[in-house]
Each structure stands twice: as structure tokens, then as C-alpha cells.
Amino acid sequence: MERGLLILAGGQSRRMGRDKALMPVRGRPVIERVLHRLRDWGDPLVVTNRPDAYRHLGVPLVSDRFPGKGPLAGIHAGLARSRHRVNLVVACDMPFVSRSVADLLFARLEGHDVIVPRFEGRLHPLFALYTRDCLEPLEASLTAGKLDVVRFLTRIQTRFLDGEAIAAVADPRLALFNMNEPADYRRACGMKDDE
């Protein structure tokens, strides 16, 4: 396997009120759906500061070196542990994540440190490809307290993949959908996916 799959499960789910990763959608916890939908895409690794909650997944777990510093710290922890140069970073709250979009990102990465989907004016840095070339700038940002993921993208060689390209292989409204609040969860439970 030449790629890594880094699933970020370190958030506190404050807006949801409970662990988003373990909430069932179509009878399966969201994090298990992510693993299933991206099975064999890359060597999986779950980034979490609560390893006991995810041991049952049977994949390697790693904790943040910069706890409490948000998703940037999770990306850093995953990249630092990964054996691969190229890694797909995926938030644990994306029940309809698309392997086709992951493949497209991989095909278009060349010459960049990161490739990030952009759909309807919004960036999706938590379903994006990151290379290990980001490790030093990530560490510098975390040490300096510069924690905004979107701002971090301006400090490295970032390519954006627009919605038009994504729509050619998958429905971006599904592939990039994530759950932050109870209303999002209710919506996810009513959505039809392509599986």
C-alpha cells in the first residue's frame, strides 16, 4: 500500500452533544462507514485522544502531540505516524465519503503539498490529501498557536479541486457532507447514498 488513510476522531463534538463518530447512520457508526467506504484505499490510522472509544475498530490509533489544538494537531499527529508520503485526511463525521473523489484527489495532487476540494465557495480541508512535506510547517504553525486549517493552506503549496471536477465522479453534496449538529445528523439519516 503506497498511501495512508488518516481518520480524525479527536473532536469534542460540542455542537452535537455526543460523539459524532459513533452515531449510527443506516445501522453503522459513522466512523465505521468511513472505514468501509474507503477500505483498501490506504493504510488506515485513527487519530484520537480517546483510544478506548475506538479500539474495537482494529486499526492503529495515535494521539495528538499538541492536544487541544484542533484539527491541525490531528493532521500533524497522523502525518507524523504515517509511513506514507501521501495521506488522505478524513473527518470522522462524513457518512457518505467518496472513494471516487479520493481517487480524483490522488490523481491531481502532483507537484503540491495538499489538494483540497472546494465546493460552492467552501473549502473542505478535512477531506483532502496531505503529504508528509507538510510536517515542518504544521509543527511551526502549532508551536506558534496558528491553528486555523484554512489559513495554514496559504503557507504551503495547495491545489484546489473545484466542484465541477468532483461532480464528474460523485455528488459533492453527499461526498463532502459532514455532521456538526443534531439537525445535520437527522439530515444524514434521511439522505440516500450511492452505496
Side-chain angles (χ1 to χ4, degrees):
M1 189 84 52
E2 61 184 33
R3 309 176 293 204
L5 171 63
L6 311 178
I7 302 173
L8 304 186
Q12 296 181 20
S13 300
R14 282 191 198 102
R15 287 182 282 171
M16 188 66 78
R18 57 186 171 137
D19 189 340
K20 312 186 266 194
L22 300 176
M23 296 172 73
V25 172
R26 307 220 167 182
R28 177 180 274 176
V30 177
I31 195 165
E32 289 181 23
R33 286 179 61 87
V34 171
L35 278 166
H36 176 74
R37 293 174 76 93
L38 295 172
R39 66 189 173 277
D40 303 327
W41 192 92
D43 287 330
L45 176 67
V46 172
V47 181
T48 178
N49 293 322
R50 297 184 313 111
D52 289 343
Y54 302 106
R55 254 184 246 293
H56 70 282
L57 297 172
V59 301
L61 307 172
V62 64
S63 296
D64 293 341
R65 242 185 70 210
F66 295 89
K69 304 268 184 168
L72 215 58
I75 295 167
H76 174 270
L79 289 177
R81 172 78 179 271
S82 176
R83 297 180 293 117
H84 305 287
R85 181 177 176 273
V86 176
N87 296 272
L88 178 65
V89 169
V90 187
C92 67
D93 62 354
M94 299 183 73
F96 310 110
V97 71
S98 166
R99 185 185 179 113
S100 298
V101 176
D103 288 340
L104 183 61
L105 290 167
F106 187 69
R108 304 271 181 98
L109 174 66
E110 194 172 334
H112 295 84
D113 299 325
V114 178
I115 182 166
V116 178
R118 179 170 48 202
F119 179 61
E120 295 182 339
R122 188 171 157 229
L123 298 179
H124 295 270
L126 301 186
F127 180 54
L129 283 187
Y130 291 77
T131 68
R132 284 176 51 87
D133 300 330
C134 296
L135 271 172
E136 275 188 40
L138 275 167
E139 189 140 351
S141 290
L142 288 160
T143 302
K146 297 176 179 176
L147 308 180
D148 185 275
V149 180
V150 173
R151 283 204 181 151
F152 172 74
L153 297 176
T154 66
R155 297 182 197 120
I156 53 176
Q157 291 293 323
T158 302
R159 182 175 194 179
F160 299 102
L161 185 69
D162 286 319
E164 227 174 73
I166 297 166
V169 299
D171 180 349
R173 285 176 183 80
L174 275 176
L176 303 174
F177 177 81
N178 69 311
M179 308 182 323
N180 289 312
E181 306 174 343
D184 298 328
Y185 176 62
R186 290 191 295 273
R187 205 170 135 218
C189 291
M191 290 169 91
K192 292 183 180 171
D193 66 4
D194 54 0
E195 229 185 41

